[in-house]
Amino acid sequence: GIPPLASTATLTLQLPTNPNQLVLPSCFLLFEVAEGVPVGSFVGSAGMSSEGDSYRIVGNMTTWFTVDSSSGNIHTQRDIDYETATQFILTIEITLGGGAYLCTVLVQIVDVNDNSPQFLSDVMRITVPESSDIIFVFSASDIDGGCNGAVRYYLQYAEPDVFTLDP
């Protein structure tokens, strides 16, 4: 424009302690895997499809997952249970053309309905008062997440119009 204008700014760049290990600008991957899949199941790939690339998991996630060093394919290493952990964050080191880069991988675990609701006791004996509206209050819980953990009640083998359940 006329007249020409100018401005200055200070740019601060923070590099990792190891200058050969850089974070790829937008290397964030998200995968979902259902709980209970067999050990060795495919989760996703961090592969860049370049000849000579290598991949390895950095940190303690190697007990849960493996990464193929030449393809970048990620597989489960042990049984995955949603009730134990709902997600895992992996850091994968990718070596490309002499430089090492870090990629963050978020693995979200999808809950399946694999747990039954549990009452406080397997057997409940109650005495029914003759003139009571409320006979017994009970509850059950299910450790599954979301709608898989919802508990619904119904009467089995009950005389019609004798007993009812309040939600």
Side-chain angles (χ1 to χ4, degrees):
I2 299 176
L5 301 176
S7 62
T8 61
T10 302
L11 176 64
T12 303
L13 208 52
Q14 185 173 356
L15 296 174
T17 55
N18 178 354
N20 294 326
Q21 191 175 59
L22 302 174
V23 176
L24 290 173
S26 62
C27 189
F28 177 82
L29 300 173
L30 171 65
F31 301 114
E32 289 185 345
V33 63
E35 71 172 323
V37 296
V39 172
S41 293
F42 178 75
V43 173
S45 182
M48 302 285 187
S49 302
S50 299
E51 193 67 33
D53 297 349
S54 68
Y55 306 86
R56 74 179 184 92
I57 295 176
V58 178
N60 62 355
M61 287 293 120
T62 56
T63 58
W64 291 95
F65 300 94
T66 61
V67 64
D68 183 274
S69 62
S70 59
S71 70
N73 290 343
I74 303 165
H75 292 85
T76 59
Q77 179 76 4
R78 57 193 283 194
D79 290 326
I80 305 292
D81 183 28
Y82 177 88
E83 288 75 33
T84 303
T86 59
Q87 67 181 21
F88 294 91
I89 299 174
L90 289 71
T91 301
I92 300 200
E93 182 182 69
I94 304 170
T95 304
L96 309 163
Y101 304 90
L102 297 179
C103 186
T104 300
V105 178
L106 174 61
V107 180
Q108 292 184 324
I109 308 306
V110 178
D111 186 37
V112 298
N113 195 5
D114 60 340
N115 294 289
S116 299
Q118 299 295 312
F119 288 94
L120 292 177
S121 175
D122 289 337
V123 176
M124 291 181 248
R125 297 190 189 279
I126 59 172
T127 303
V128 179
E130 193 172 315
S131 61
S132 177
D133 290 339
I134 299 176
I135 296 174
F136 187 70
V137 177
F138 58 92
S139 67
S141 61
D142 188 329
I143 62 173
D144 282 316
C147 64
N148 290 333
V151 178
R152 290 179 290 284
Y153 302 93
Y154 68 94
L155 294 172
Q156 187 175 8
Y157 311 118
E159 290 292 323
D161 300 323
V162 175
F163 295 102
T164 59
L165 287 174
D166 289 334

